[in-house]
Amino acid sequence: MDRRFPFKVLEHIFSFVDSNEDRNSVSLVCKSWFETERRTRKRVFVGNCYAVSPLKVARRFPKMRSLTLKGKPHFADYNLVPDGWGGYAWPWIEAMAARRPLLEEIRLKRMVVTDECLEKIAASFRDFKTLVLTSCEGFSTDGIAAIASTCRKLRDLELRECIVDDLGGDWLSYFPETSTSLVSLDFSCLDSEVKLSDLERLLSRSPNLKSLKLNRSVTLDVLESLLRRAPQLVELGTGSFSDELDPEEIAKLTKALSELKQLKSLSGLWDLLPEYIPLLYSVCPRLTSLNLSYATVQMPDLIDLLSRCSKLQKLWVMDLIEDKGLKTVALCCKELRELRVFPSGADLDETDVTLTEQGLVSVSEGCKKLESVLYFCVQFTNAALVSIAKNRPNFRCFRLCVMEPFAPDYRTQQPLDEGFKAIVEKCKDLRRLSVSGLLTDKAFEYIGVHAKKLRMLSIAFAGDSDLMLHHLLSGCQSLKKLEIRDCPFGDTALLENAAKLETMRSLWMSSCFVSFGACKQLSQKMPRLNVEVIDEHPPKTRPDSSPVERIYIYRTVAGPRLDTPEFVWTIHKSPEVGVSRLSIR
Amino acid sequence: MITELEMGKAESELELGLGLSLGGGTASKIVKPGGGGAWGERGRLLTAKDFPSVGSKRAADSASHAGASPPRSSSQVVGWPPIGSHRMNSLVNNQATKKEDDGKKKAKDDETKDVTKKVNGKVQVGFIKVNMDGVAIGRKVDLNAHSSYENLAQTLEDMFFRSSPGTIGLTGQFTKPLRLLDGPSEFVLTYEDKEGDWMLVGDVPWRMFITSVKRLRVMKTSEANGLAARHQEPKERHKPV
């Protein structure tokens, strides 16, 4: 008798399994589970676009409706990955267009997307609904126009922090003249002006629009007219908030804002002037998400705003909030889950705001649900970190950027080892950690011992020796992504822990002491790792002892990639060949 | 009394001109022998210039920009602090407008600034920048926390040439631990005064010094010769008291 569950039963059971990780586990149980799972998976996530070939993915998941891809390493956000490195969306779009025409959603992060890609999407997927591009580049507003005009069922068009060849605001007029099905539209990263009339008419014919994020060039005087046409908004990203308005305009805008009864999220607010803060009072009590990170407003004006946001769960703000403002947050925003504090000075030395470690300590005391933090601060203390850890063992994401490299505890002049020890000891659910300040190998020993659930770790200017890397690779069981810059070690720890690298998505090391010889050895040892050397200034000869500028190591079943630029070398598996650079244009 | 800092020469040395104008100015030479560390090569915090608003590609050839403009920031390392480029552009724009506005509101600001500083206690009062030749990242010292030149020299030595094992100073970063450094080399401590002149530290009484100093530079002795000529006495070497 066939003891297996019939396909239909399995299929039904699997329909309750949503997360990709769970589905991946399910598919490993046995062949029939693998088959059933693959035939039913609708949402496909590929964390590294070079880990697997597009064709394989297209073939494996016939019911695919949503594809999410990530390309460049995270440090590309900080210009550590040269232009032209890779992360091209085209092969994926091409493969899906040919085999999965029912694809509805594409989400790409840190990838190179060309106008051809966008035109292909528009032409190939008749039910296309969702395009979300985060930190992508390579396309122009023409490509966006193609999407707008051709995808009749488009619901989401979001460009988040992309670098776009902005040829003007015409693209907005390409949406179909009859009503649109738009639910979310985000063009906040574009520079050029869109025509007010285009925007007004678009809003008038988009009854389902819930999320609208304007770009900075949309001036304050037109905001009222837009909001009047979209009172159902749940998320609003304003344009510039600094133009001069006369009293009548202010009154009208105040009213329009108060009419947004569903508004939960507010962002944009470029150059917010203190005198306009009262306009926002009406929306504050309902807000769960507030992004003030482009609002140059200072203390004490911020207090007036924040003290009214009792439901706030997510707050992004600049260090202009100072310790005092964070104390207010600690008192008033009891629902806070995520806090990000960004520096307000591009020049490190020009900060003269009183944002210290005390601000974060206050918030960690007062906001019991706080679980995710990104905090830029000039210097810190161990005592503060210990307090923070004690107050908030529920941290899942803790990213502290002490902006002064190698800064010790400024009270005791000790490294911040003990402080971070407290964090990883107490916060047992920590998934993501960024460390900074003066740190010795000890700090990483603590991390290796305690941070068992840690998946992503970012390190800069730290450590003393290979021990540091060894502690991490041998200790952090759940580690998936490790990125390191400017740390004085490399070879030994890498080679000793080579096997670990295959359990991780990727390892990035730049400005460290990794030698070419070690890269070769590593690559030969581990057949399913791509060891890529990035060298914009390669030496004329490469003895084994010569250092490499940057390495990016990632597991893959797709073999070495074929689209490397001239400054990237994939270390060949065969020792005689040394380096290979296969490039197919 | 001239303060001298004697320390070992870094094994792999990065020479990075900090763009400070001193006589002929310092050129941005990039020397990268055996050691790792590519700080010098793309040694400039990318600013809005690298991200033209019509979104063409980011300047991949930032190496060609190294030293092109004298950076005011003491941090000249690519990608530090780790802020995304969109945000960085915004910050740089803010700084530009702030400087314009500052000119207009200077008088009013001075008033409020003084009050703020008193109310908030030690903000950045007394903190001045310190840069050292060959080290890309500058530091800050609080002059108010020091009582003498010797004090200050000690702090700077600790900062840049940490001698305790198991930790590394700024110059130790791209070398093996200090014990492997070979040969002594000499640095002098210089400062820029309110008039913009660069002087050797130690010429004037301490109290006078802290009121007139704007920033510090730990300079290679070889480069300091030009300074000695400004003083009436020839450069003398004194041991720290």
Side-chain angles (χ1 to χ4, degrees):
Chain A
M1 181 180 126
D2 190 341
R3 294 219 173 143
R4 290 174 296 175
F5 276 138
F7 169 77
K8 283 278 171 229
V9 175
L10 274 183
E11 190 184 21
H12 181 70
I13 298 176
F14 291 172
S15 68
F16 296 103
V17 180
D18 264 338
S19 94
N20 274 292
E21 280 195 40
D22 289 342
R23 279 194 161 257
N24 289 346
S25 307
V26 158
S27 65
L28 291 174
V29 169
C30 64
K31 270 226 156 83
S32 82
W33 281 42
F34 176 88
E35 279 301 306
T36 310
E37 193 284 314
R38 78 170 188 87
R39 283 179 211 283
T40 56
R41 193 185 301 207
K42 294 220 175 73
R43 317 188 67 83
V44 176
F45 171 81
V46 180
N48 174 4
C49 65
Y50 289 120
V52 62
S53 85
L55 197 55
K56 275 221 167 106
V57 175
R59 286 200 185 129
R60 181 172 165 185
F61 302 110
K63 285 270 170 61
M64 190 194 321
R65 292 290 177 270
S66 157
L67 177 65
T68 303
L69 291 173
K70 293 188 180 181
K72 300 187 203 177
H74 171 238
F75 273 176
D77 286 354
Y78 317 126
N79 300 307
L80 290 177
V81 178
D83 272 356
W85 173 86
Y88 302 103
W90 176 257
W92 290 87
I93 311 278
E94 199 185 22
M96 298 307 152
R99 287 166 189 78
R100 300 283 159 246
L102 296 180
L103 192 61
E104 294 175 359
E105 302 178 7
I106 293 179
R107 293 177 171 81
L108 305 175
K109 189 166 186 179
R110 289 190 206 99
M111 294 194 76
V112 177
V113 181
T114 58
D115 285 346
E116 286 73 37
C117 291
L118 296 175
E119 284 154 16
K120 187 83 168 163
I121 292 175
S124 316
F125 306 113
R126 63 155 207 260
D127 288 335
F128 196 69
K129 294 194 171 64
T130 299
L131 182 67
V132 177
L133 303 177
T134 308
S135 302
C136 292
E137 56 174 356
F139 59 102
S140 79
T141 39
D142 283 352
I144 307 175
I147 298 275
S149 66
T150 320
C151 302
R152 297 272 132 180
K153 302 194 183 170
L154 191 67
R155 285 204 306 226
D156 310 295
L157 176 59
E158 295 178 27
L159 309 171
R160 303 177 185 171
E161 312 240 313
C162 293
I163 295 188
V164 183
D165 191 4
D166 197 333
L167 306 171
D170 265 348
W171 62 272
L172 197 66
S173 63
Y174 279 76
F175 284 101
E177 277 304 319
T178 54
S179 74
T180 77
S181 36
L182 275 179
V183 172
S184 84
L185 176 64
D186 179 353
F187 60 97
S188 52
C189 65
L190 297 182
D191 282 324
S192 63
E193 282 186 41
V194 295
K195 277 222 303 269
L196 177 62
S197 54
D198 285 344
L199 196 44
E200 284 171 338
R201 283 188 296 114
L202 179 65
L203 295 182
S204 299
R205 64 187 198 276
S206 303
N208 299 322
L209 192 68
K210 293 276 187 295
S211 170
L212 176 65
K213 296 191 178 157
L214 307 166
N215 67 355
R216 195 174 186 167
S217 65
V218 175
T219 50
L220 193 55
D221 51 332
V222 309
L223 186 59
E224 181 267 333
S225 149
L226 300 173
L227 296 182
R228 248 193 301 126
R229 290 167 166 79
Q232 75 281 8
L233 285 178
V234 175
E235 293 183 351
L236 170 65
T238 72
S240 138
F241 225 90
S242 62
D243 315 287
E244 288 203 24
L245 300 180
D246 61 46
E248 192 191 328
E249 286 172 311
I250 294 183
K252 277 166 96 173
L253 181 53
T254 310
K255 178 155 187 294
L257 283 164
S258 68
E259 302 278 292
L260 301 175
K261 303 288 184 205
Q262 322 258 26
L263 196 72
K264 292 221 167 59
S265 162
L266 185 61
S267 58
L269 302 170
W270 273 283
D271 312 314
L272 176 63
L273 292 179
E275 48 261 43
Y276 292 148
I277 289 184
L279 270 74
L280 304 174
Y281 286 170
S282 59
V283 301
C284 286
R286 288 184 290 273
L287 282 184
T288 57
S289 167
L290 178 58
N291 185 346
L292 290 167
S293 62
Y294 292 103
T296 41
V297 72
Q298 300 182 323
M299 292 294 284
D301 304 304
L302 277 177
I303 290 193
D304 300 326
L305 196 55
L306 295 168
S307 56
R308 291 173 155 81
C309 299
S310 56
K311 290 226 176 83
L312 210 57
Q313 293 178 21
K314 176 168 138 179
L315 175 64
W316 290 19
V317 73
M318 286 205 268
D319 57 10
L320 303 168
I321 193 174
E322 300 190 5
D323 289 345
K324 220 164 126 196
L326 287 175
K327 249 205 158 120
T328 306
V329 171
L331 280 174
C332 303
C333 307
K334 293 301 190 187
E335 299 294 314
L336 197 69
R337 284 159 173 63
E338 178 181 327
L339 173 69
R340 294 196 190 187
V341 180
F342 296 97
S344 56
D347 224 350
L348 276 199
D349 313 304
E350 298 213 1
T351 43
D352 49 17
V353 291
T354 333
L355 181 89
T356 70
E357 74 282 3
Q358 198 45 49
L360 188 54
V361 172
S362 314
V363 179
S364 72
E365 269 167 13
C367 302
K368 311 234 177 284
K369 299 189 183 175
L370 188 68
E371 54 178 34
S372 171
V373 163
L374 170 61
Y375 200 77
F376 283 82
C377 191
V378 178
Q379 41 190 17
F380 229 79
T381 64
N382 280 313
L385 281 169
V386 170
S387 286
I388 291 166
K390 237 168 52 174
N391 292 332
R392 286 283 64 73
N394 44 321
F395 273 131
R396 290 171 70 94
C397 169
F398 188 77
R399 296 161 71 190
L400 175 64
C401 180
V402 175
M403 291 194 289
E404 188 158 314
F406 316 116
D409 177 326
Y410 71 88
R411 288 200 197 281
T412 65
Q413 299 307 314
Q414 293 300 305
L416 290 179
D417 297 347
E418 296 303 310
F420 280 106
K421 176 186 183 198
I423 295 281
V424 292
E425 244 184 348
K426 293 273 179 343
C427 306
K428 305 219 183 291
D429 269 335
L430 198 64
R431 296 272 193 274
R432 183 169 177 183
L433 177 65
S434 300
V435 298
S436 52
L438 183 66
L439 295 167
T440 71
D441 286 345
K442 261 232 158 292
F444 301 96
E445 184 188 338
Y446 298 143
I447 296 176
V449 165
H450 294 286
K452 292 307 183 190
K453 293 229 175 114
L454 192 67
R455 297 169 61 99
M456 180 169 177
L457 177 60
S458 311
I459 305 171
F461 308 111
D464 307 316
S465 72
D466 276 77
L467 262 187
M468 163 182 160
L469 187 57
H470 178 72
H471 288 314
L472 296 173
L473 293 178
S474 59
C476 298
Q477 285 163 357
S478 312
L479 196 62
K480 290 279 173 281
K481 290 201 297 192
L482 179 57
E483 47 188 22
I484 303 176
R485 62 165 295 180
D486 295 278
C487 296
F489 55 76
D491 292 356
T492 321
L494 265 186
L495 293 171
E496 268 175 20
N497 294 282
K500 171 77 176 176
L501 298 179
E502 247 186 48
T503 69
M504 292 167 52
R505 185 187 295 172
S506 65
L507 167 64
W508 168 277
M509 289 177 70
S510 57
S511 304
C512 299
F513 278 163
V514 180
S515 74
F516 186 63
C519 292
K520 281 200 291 187
Q521 274 188 282
L522 185 62
S523 181
Q524 286 146 26
K525 221 171 149 179
M526 309 300 302
R528 278 178 307 194
L529 287 184
N530 273 358
V531 178
E532 289 187 10
V533 168
I534 300 169
D535 238 332
E536 285 185 290
H537 305 89
K540 293 202 177 67
T541 57
R542 272 195 199 277
D544 280 1
S545 59
S546 66
V548 296
E549 285 175 13
R550 290 168 265 207
I551 53 168
Y552 184 50
I553 302 171
Y554 55 90
R555 67 177 172 188
T556 179
V557 292
R561 58 185 176 112
L562 304 176
D563 59 2
T564 49
E566 70 254 359
F567 52 81
V568 176
W569 287 262
T570 307
I571 307 279
H572 209 276
K573 299 300 170 189
S574 157
E576 304 90 61
V577 177
V579 267
S580 75
R581 197 171 18 88
L582 305 169
S583 186
I584 291 180
R585 295 254 151 248
Chain B
M1 171 184 62
I2 297 171
T3 310
E4 246 186 309
L5 300 168
E6 293 190 49
M7 59 280 308
K9 191 169 173 183
E11 200 173 322
S12 59
E13 197 173 288
L14 298 172
E15 283 183 35
L16 177 68
L18 297 176
L20 302 169
S21 45
L22 270 173
T26 47
S28 241
K29 290 178 293 167
I30 292 140
V31 174
K32 195 178 99 156
W39 277 2
E41 302 188 333
R42 284 159 294 285
R44 185 168 74 83
L45 189 65
L46 297 181
T47 64
K49 292 197 205 78
D50 300 284
F51 306 107
S53 56
V54 180
S56 42
K57 274 191 181 179
R58 277 180 281 242
D61 54 333
S62 34
S64 64
H65 288 127
S69 55
R72 289 198 55 240
S73 169
S74 70
S75 162
Q76 299 169 52
V77 179
V78 168
W80 193 263
I83 307 172
S85 55
H86 273 270
R87 203 169 288 285
M88 183 62 75
N89 284 350
S90 200
L91 292 186
V92 174
N93 286 336
N94 288 345
Q95 299 257 283
T97 26
K98 205 174 96 162
K99 279 172 191 129
E100 284 168 33
D101 293 344
D102 269 355
K104 297 176 209 161
K105 311 189 286 172
K106 189 93 180 41
K108 187 172 156 210
D109 264 9
D110 280 342
E111 260 176 61
T112 46
K113 245 189 189 170
D114 287 337
V115 171
T116 318
K117 278 182 179 166
K118 279 177 204 145
V119 166
N120 292 333
K122 295 201 295 182
V123 184
Q124 296 281 337
V125 176
F127 275 89
I128 57 165
K129 287 194 275 193
V130 190
N131 289 92
M132 176 167 151
D133 285 359
V135 178
I137 300 214
R139 304 294 298 274
K140 271 192 168 167
V141 276
D142 181 3
L143 285 185
N144 290 340
H146 295 84
S147 52
S148 68
Y149 285 116
E150 191 196 42
N151 237 213
L152 177 63
Q154 188 59 50
T155 300
L156 293 177
E157 280 184 40
D158 285 346
M159 212 178 249
F160 288 97
F161 306 96
R162 226 168 266 280
S163 52
S164 47
T167 59
I168 42 178
L170 278 169
T171 50
Q173 182 59 10
F174 291 103
T175 67
K176 306 288 184 195
L178 285 168
R179 60 179 181 278
L180 296 181
L181 300 176
D182 47 65
S185 153
E186 278 149 6
F187 290 77
V188 289
L189 186 58
T190 64
Y191 73 101
E192 184 183 8
D193 69 7
K194 287 213 157 87
E195 274 112 54
D197 295 324
W198 285 86
M199 324 270 269
L200 288 169
V201 163
D203 278 359
V204 300
W206 173 256
R207 289 215 171 278
M208 196 184 300
F209 168 69
I210 57 176
T211 56
S212 62
V213 63
K214 258 174 51 182
R215 53 184 166 158
L216 293 169
R217 178 177 163 193
V218 179
M219 194 188 298
K220 289 206 177 55
T221 310
S222 49
E223 296 215 19
N225 288 332
L227 284 185
R230 293 188 196 204
H231 295 271
Q232 270 146 27
E233 304 131 40
K235 186 168 100 105
E236 287 168 30
R237 297 209 200 135
H238 299 279
K239 295 211 186 83
V241 167

